[in-house]
């Protein structure tokens, strides 16, 4: 039995998206022509301008804040949105993605590349938004889109795409399930943000005050000035030194050019800047590339070993990672400096954490060779100043404390990924009627 036949048995209706709009003249409209809302119209305050950058795939992105004067916004009143309205993207990435205007946004003005959909009151906004973002609706939107390099869908075309929906009570029940999942996800995301702020504060304290033998921070300089001394990097504990990075390393090198022709589905891992992140000093393997080894000389292709420190030296300067024991055979390209420390693994991680601080990033910027192509040469990397505690155990304590926070953040991120996967799988069932909800109760039962 086809999905459409199943849906008909379940008394779901199918209608053009336009049929779900409220019965008012401006319930389903796109933004103003570009000439009607120019960048020169933007202001420091007024009515929030909503752009493509604010529209995530099912969620609102509350950044890239811009405003239009109240008078200008009122002259474009048909394009004003309020909480509960749906925003739909005319352009790809992905095409026709939708989100709901959040409650805290009292009023907004959409730009030309967005569409406003104000639903009839009987329909549940969360359900309809989820259905628009669902596989079937999106596939049809992509089929009807125009353009090659930048695909686009028109308002008139979007209005005609058909969407299947149950009766309002079942819509609201499904919407409740989605809202519960979304709230759980938001709570996990809030914990991530909280621990990221904790980490920033902890990094500042640990790299200005250090950690004593009992695992506590030293008293502040204001509390115990005799415990500190001035240095080229500012005030540091008396038991610390400031040294160039080259003095605590075996060597600093980088990879060779011309690796692209050796890309392969198997072979050693090939580390690029995209595998580094400012969020932590571990690798990102979501975009890992592999290579078949080119016939370079051994000196031109130094393999990455556990505890090596990698630093981006072109483009986005100063992103740091520390190689772990489970890395396997790996190489870097010419955009990454490979730093091999003369220290124990825990001290290597201490250096990695320190090199990712704002204090060191400012050094990267000062040393940046702003010639034809901005970047750092390897001698410049060696000149980066780092702190060196004289107590060999102190770097280990500091690294362990920061690694623990990173692990907590990573666990919460994995939980968010898991929740999103659960939501995606559940929505596939709920939006096709494969799984039904009992409107009168709380249980979800299979339709099969």
């Amino acid at each position: 039995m086809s999905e459409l036949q199943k849906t008909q048995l379940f008394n779901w209706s199918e209608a053009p998206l336009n049929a779900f709009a409220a019965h008012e003249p401006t319930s389903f409209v796109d933004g103003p022509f570009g000439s009607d809302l120019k960048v020169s119209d933007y202001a420091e305050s007024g009515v929030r301008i909503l752009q493509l950058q604010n529209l995530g795939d099912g969620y609102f992105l509350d950044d890239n804040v811009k405003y239009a004067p109240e008078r200008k916004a009122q002259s474009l009143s048909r394009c004003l949105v309020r909480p509960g309205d749906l925003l739909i993207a005319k352009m790809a990435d992905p095409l026709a993605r939708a989100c709901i205007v959040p409650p805290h946004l009292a009023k907004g003005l959409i730009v030309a590349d967005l569409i406003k959909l104000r639903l009839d009151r009987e329909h549940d906004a969360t359900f309809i938004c989820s259905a628009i973002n669902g596989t079937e609706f999106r596939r049809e939107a992509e089929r009807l889109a125009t353009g090659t390099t930048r695909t686009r869908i028109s308002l008139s075309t979007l209005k005609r795409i058909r969407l299947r929906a149950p009766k309002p009570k079942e819509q609201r029940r499904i919407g409740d399930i989605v809202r519960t999942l979304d709230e759980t996800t938001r709570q996990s995301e809030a914990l991530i943000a909280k621990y990221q702020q904790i980490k920033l504060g902890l990094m500042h304290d640990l790299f200005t005050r250090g950690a004593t033998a009992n695992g506590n921070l030293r008293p502040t300089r204001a509390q115990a000035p005799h415990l500190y001394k001035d240095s080229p990097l500012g005030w540091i504990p008396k038991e610390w030194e400031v040294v160039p990075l080259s003095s605590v390393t075996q060597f600093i090198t980088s990879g060779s050019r011309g690796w692209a022709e050796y890309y392969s589905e198997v072979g050693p891992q090939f580390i690029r800047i995209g595998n580094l992140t400012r969020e932590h000093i571990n690798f990102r393997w979501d975009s890992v590339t592999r290579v078949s080894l080119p016939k370079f000389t051994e000196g031109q292709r130094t393999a990455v070993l556990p505890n090596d420190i990698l630093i981006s030296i072109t483009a986005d300067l100063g992103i740091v990672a520390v190689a772990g024991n489970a890395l396997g055979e790996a190489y870097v390209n010419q955009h990454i400096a490979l730093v091999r420390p003369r220290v124990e693994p825990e001290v290597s991680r201490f250096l990695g954490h320190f090199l990712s601080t704002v204090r060191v990033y400012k050094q990267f910027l000062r040393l940046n060779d702003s010639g034809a192509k901005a970047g750092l040469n390897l001698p410049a990397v060696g000149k980066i100043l780092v702190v060196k505690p004289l107590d060999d155990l102190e770097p280990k304590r500091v690294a362990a404390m920061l690694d623990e926070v990173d692990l907590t953040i990573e666990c919460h991120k994995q939980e968010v990924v898991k929740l999103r996967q659960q939501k995606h799988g559940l929505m596939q069932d709920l939006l096709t009627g494969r799984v039904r909800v009992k409107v009168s109760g709380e249980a979800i039962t299979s339709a099969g």
Side-chain angles (χ1 to χ4, degrees):
M1 184 180 296
S2 71
E3 292 297 342
L4 179 55
Q5 289 173 320
K6 287 182 182 179
T7 300
Q8 290 170 340
L9 286 176
F10 299 150
N11 296 318
W12 283 34
S13 61
E14 183 180 35
L17 186 58
N18 189 43
F20 296 88
H23 302 292
E24 55 185 74
T26 62
S27 62
F28 205 169
V29 298
D30 50 8
F33 290 110
S35 58
D36 290 336
L37 181 62
K38 303 185 289 291
V39 173
S40 58
D41 294 319
Y42 292 4
E44 294 296 322
S45 61
V47 176
R48 177 76 177 271
I49 296 175
L50 304 180
Q51 306 170 85
L52 277 173
Q53 297 95 318
N54 298 122
L55 209 170
D57 193 359
Y59 51 91
F60 183 80
L61 295 169
D62 202 0
D63 51 16
N64 197 41
V65 178
K66 292 181 173 60
Y67 297 95
E70 182 74 35
R71 180 176 295 182
K72 182 66 178 180
Q74 289 305 322
S75 72
L76 302 169
S77 59
R78 67 184 292 275
C79 305
L80 291 175
V81 299
R82 65 192 185 201
D85 288 348
L86 270 59
L87 303 177
I88 307 174
K90 283 184 175 182
M91 298 179 65
D93 196 24
L95 184 77
R97 66 191 184 277
C99 76
I100 300 172
V101 177
H104 73 269
L105 196 65
K107 183 166 59 176
L109 176 65
I110 60 173
V111 298
D113 293 323
L114 291 183
I115 291 170
K116 171 184 76 174
L117 171 55
R118 182 167 297 159
L119 297 170
D120 187 280
R121 289 187 178 183
E122 71 173 359
H123 297 296
D124 185 88
T126 302
F127 174 85
I128 300 299
C129 182
S130 299
I132 292 172
N133 289 322
T135 303
E136 292 186 14
F137 190 95
R138 182 164 292 171
R139 185 185 297 124
E140 184 66 5
E142 290 172 348
R143 187 183 72 82
L144 297 172
T146 58
T148 51
T149 56
R150 301 186 74 184
T151 56
R152 177 183 293 270
I153 190 165
S154 68
L155 173 64
S156 59
T157 300
L158 191 73
K159 285 182 175 182
R160 297 196 305 269
I161 298 179
R162 302 183 72 80
L163 183 144
R164 294 198 294 271
K167 293 180 179 180
K169 284 187 178 180
E170 190 170 350
Q171 285 184 36
R172 286 191 288 273
R173 184 68 189 98
I174 293 173
D176 287 341
I177 295 169
V178 176
R179 284 186 283 272
T180 299
L181 287 170
D182 286 343
E183 179 57 30
T184 305
T185 302
R186 278 192 291 270
Q187 290 173 2
S188 293
E189 289 172 335
L191 286 172
I192 292 170
K194 172 186 173 182
Y195 280 104
Q196 286 173 334
Q197 288 301 311
I198 289 173
K199 180 185 174 183
L200 287 175
L202 187 60
M203 287 182 75
H204 175 270
D205 289 342
L206 287 172
F207 289 123
T208 56
R209 297 163 60 186
T212 61
N214 58 11
N216 296 325
L217 293 166
R218 288 181 178 83
T220 65
R221 189 169 69 88
Q223 295 169 331
H226 63 283
L227 297 179
Y228 296 87
K229 66 182 179 182
D230 199 4
S231 79
L233 294 177
W235 292 94
I236 59 174
K238 278 189 174 180
E239 295 85 356
W240 289 16
E241 294 179 343
V242 172
V243 298
L245 181 61
S246 59
S247 70
V248 292
T249 61
Q250 297 181 45
F251 59 79
I252 300 174
T253 186
S254 65
S256 302
R257 300 177 185 274
W259 286 84
E261 61 184 291
Y262 298 99
Y263 287 173
S264 172
E265 293 185 3
V266 295
Q269 296 162 113
F270 185 53
I271 300 172
R272 301 171 295 173
I273 291 179
N275 297 119
L276 315 182
T277 174
R278 294 195 189 278
E279 295 180 8
H280 49 69
I281 61 168
N282 300 313
F283 291 109
R284 291 179 53 219
W285 293 119
D286 52 343
S287 58
V288 65
T289 299
R290 294 185 179 275
V291 290
S292 57
L293 283 182
K295 296 179 180 178
F296 295 153
T297 63
E298 185 65 29
Q300 290 178 304
R301 52 178 178 90
T302 302
V304 181
L305 298 182
N307 308 312
D308 281 351
I309 299 172
L310 308 186
I311 306 171
S312 63
I313 55 175
T314 65
D316 197 357
L317 283 174
I319 312 177
V320 179
V322 179
N325 291 324
L327 178 64
E329 188 178 7
Y331 298 86
V332 299
N333 66 8
Q334 75 274 17
H335 303 298
I336 292 178
L338 190 161
V339 179
R340 183 155 298 164
R342 287 199 306 268
V343 291
E344 297 179 49
E346 296 88 347
V347 182
S348 184
R349 293 192 67 78
F350 171 88
L351 280 172
H353 282 298
F354 183 77
L355 288 167
S356 65
T357 61
V358 173
R359 189 187 301 184
V360 174
Y361 181 66
K362 291 178 179 178
Q363 292 189 64
F364 285 124
L365 295 181
R366 285 197 300 269
L367 292 168
N368 180 23
D369 176 10
S370 57
K373 187 174 182 180
L376 293 181
N377 56 38
L378 297 180
V381 174
K383 293 177 182 177
I384 295 291
L385 296 178
V386 297
V387 291
K388 179 183 178 184
L390 299 182
D391 177 1
D392 291 340
L393 295 179
E394 188 168 5
K396 300 177 182 181
R397 293 193 292 269
V398 170
M401 294 168 74
L402 291 173
D403 284 343
E404 184 177 357
V405 179
D406 277 342
L407 179 60
T408 300
I409 293 172
E410 184 58 31
C411 287
H412 286 299
K413 285 184 175 180
Q414 290 176 3
E415 180 65 19
V416 168
V417 171
K418 178 181 175 182
L419 286 167
R420 286 177 175 162
Q421 290 173 340
Q422 287 177 346
K423 177 184 174 181
H424 178 76
L426 183 58
M427 293 311 299
Q428 287 293 99
D429 290 335
L430 292 174
L431 293 175
T432 57
R434 285 196 294 267
V435 168
R436 302 298 304 281
V437 296
K438 289 183 178 179
V439 176
S440 59
E442 294 298 316
I444 301 175
T445 59
S446 172

